[in-house]
Amino acid sequence: VSLTALAGLVILRTALSNSIALLNGEAMRLLVLKDLKGFLRLSATALFQGCLQAMLSPTLAAVEKRMALMWRQRLNKHICDRYMQHQAYFHLKETMPDLKDLGSIDQVLASDVQSLTDGVANLWHEFVKPVVDIAWSARTMWTLT
């Protein structure tokens, strides 16, 4: 699981959303033309794409959570290696009075690291989505000209 997989899922979700929007316009055209076969074929396609869309959202959330978990494991290992080495965390906390409010290492490892990694994974997702939307819109405008 990587940033590329998350970006790929966002691109796929954008493509599906735009395809469903195009199907809605095509459905109206087929209704006006009273093309029943075309409308039924389009309805089956829309149903299939809707099912894909319904599976894509939980998959995207699972990939985001998996990515956060991988970062959390790496960051916890790094913190344990660096700050627990020679009990550096405890010496630092005792020798610097302004760090007394830092909290226990358990709280840092359990809560703060989780909040950070979850936020960064979500931030990546929230960053990629607008970039993909802008690129998709630019591509659509380019094909219209």
Side-chain angles (χ1 to χ4, degrees):
V1 179
S2 67
L3 299 174
T4 308
L6 187 67
L9 285 172
V10 170
I11 291 169
L12 183 61
R13 184 179 66 182
T14 302
L16 266 172
S17 296
N18 288 337
S19 178
I20 289 171
L22 287 174
L23 287 178
N24 290 339
E26 181 67 14
M28 294 308 277
R29 186 182 73 78
L30 291 172
L31 283 175
V32 169
L33 294 175
K34 298 181 183 177
D35 182 2
L36 184 60
K37 282 184 181 179
F39 182 75
L40 292 176
R41 190 173 40 254
L42 188 73
S43 296
T45 303
L47 182 64
F48 176 71
Q49 287 183 348
C51 290
L52 284 177
Q53 184 84 9
M55 291 187 313
L56 196 58
S57 291
T59 303
L60 191 60
V63 167
E64 189 176 307
K65 287 179 184 176
R66 175 73 177 137
M67 194 167 53
L69 178 64
M70 287 173 33
W71 288 344
R72 187 173 342 155
Q73 289 170 339
R74 290 179 189 161
L75 190 55
N76 278 340
K77 183 179 178 341
H78 178 75
I79 288 172
C80 285
D81 289 347
R82 298 275 298 168
Y83 292 111
M84 300 298 255
Q85 184 179 34
H86 307 295
Q87 297 183 340
Y89 174 84
F90 300 104
H91 291 296
L92 182 66
K93 190 173 174 184
E94 290 300 319
T95 58
M96 301 185 89
D98 56 335
L99 293 180
K100 294 269 187 201
D101 299 335
L102 189 60
S104 68
I105 190 69
D106 297 338
Q107 183 241 335
V108 170
L109 287 176
S111 179
D112 296 346
V113 170
Q114 180 180 0
S115 297
L116 174 68
T117 55
D118 289 347
V120 169
N122 189 309
L123 180 66
W124 175 252
H125 174 224
E126 295 297 323
F127 170 74
V128 169
K129 173 119 178 66
V131 170
V132 169
D133 287 343
I134 290 170
W136 195 276
S137 297
R139 184 188 73 77
T140 303
M141 284 190 265
W142 181 264
T143 58
L144 292 175
T145 59

